[in-house]
């Protein structure tokens, strides 16, 4: 699975990932060492960050710039669903 962190501080999520894990359209984002964790919120009224539609295909984006360290590597990422954390795990640095 692939996502992208843009230089403007957005996390871009393909529609397939957004529909599978983030159906409500709201998420919580937290830092976990060198990873960004994106967790679904049960319903939009509970708060969190809103996933915005990027295009008609259903790709989504969420502004995470406030959480990103100054030295983050921008660009595409291979991401994975972390069943223990119930979150999408996005590495902040490219190896």
């Amino acid at each position: 699975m692939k996502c992208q962190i843009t230089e403007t501080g957005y996390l871009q999520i393909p529609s397939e990932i957004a529909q599978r894990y983030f159906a409500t359209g709201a998420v919580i984002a937290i830092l976990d060492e060198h990873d960004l964790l994106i967790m679904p919120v049960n319903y939009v009224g509970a708060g969190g960050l809103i996933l915005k539609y990027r295009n008609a295909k259903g790709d989504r984006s969420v502004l995470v710039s406030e959480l990103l360290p100054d030295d983050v590597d921008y660009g595409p990422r291979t991401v994975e669903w972390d069943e223990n954390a119930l979150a999408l795990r996005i590495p902040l640095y490219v190896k």
Side-chain angles (χ1 to χ4, degrees):
M1 294 189 294
K2 297 277 188 185
C3 288
Q4 179 163 318
I5 299 174
T6 69
E7 291 185 21
T8 55
Y10 281 89
L11 174 65
Q12 295 178 344
I13 303 171
S15 62
E16 300 81 24
I17 296 172
Q19 290 171 5
R20 181 171 182 182
Y21 298 111
F22 309 115
T24 63
V27 298
I28 296 170
I30 62 169
L31 290 178
D32 180 34
E33 295 187 29
H34 299 294
D35 296 332
L36 180 65
L37 298 181
I38 304 296
M39 302 174 182
V41 174
N42 287 337
Y43 66 100
V44 176
L49 304 170
I50 303 299
L51 290 173
K52 298 180 174 135
Y53 282 97
R54 293 188 56 239
N55 54 35
K57 181 181 171 190
D59 295 339
R60 309 292 285 269
S61 64
V62 61
L63 185 63
V64 293
S65 59
E66 292 179 0
L67 295 170
L68 298 177
D70 292 335
D71 62 343
V72 68
D73 295 331
Y74 299 105
R77 297 288 187 289
T78 299
V79 301
E80 62 182 32
W81 181 256
D82 184 332
E83 197 60 41
N84 292 327
L86 296 177
L88 190 65
R89 185 172 290 276
I90 298 105
L92 293 175
Y93 303 98
V94 178
K95 297 177 183 179

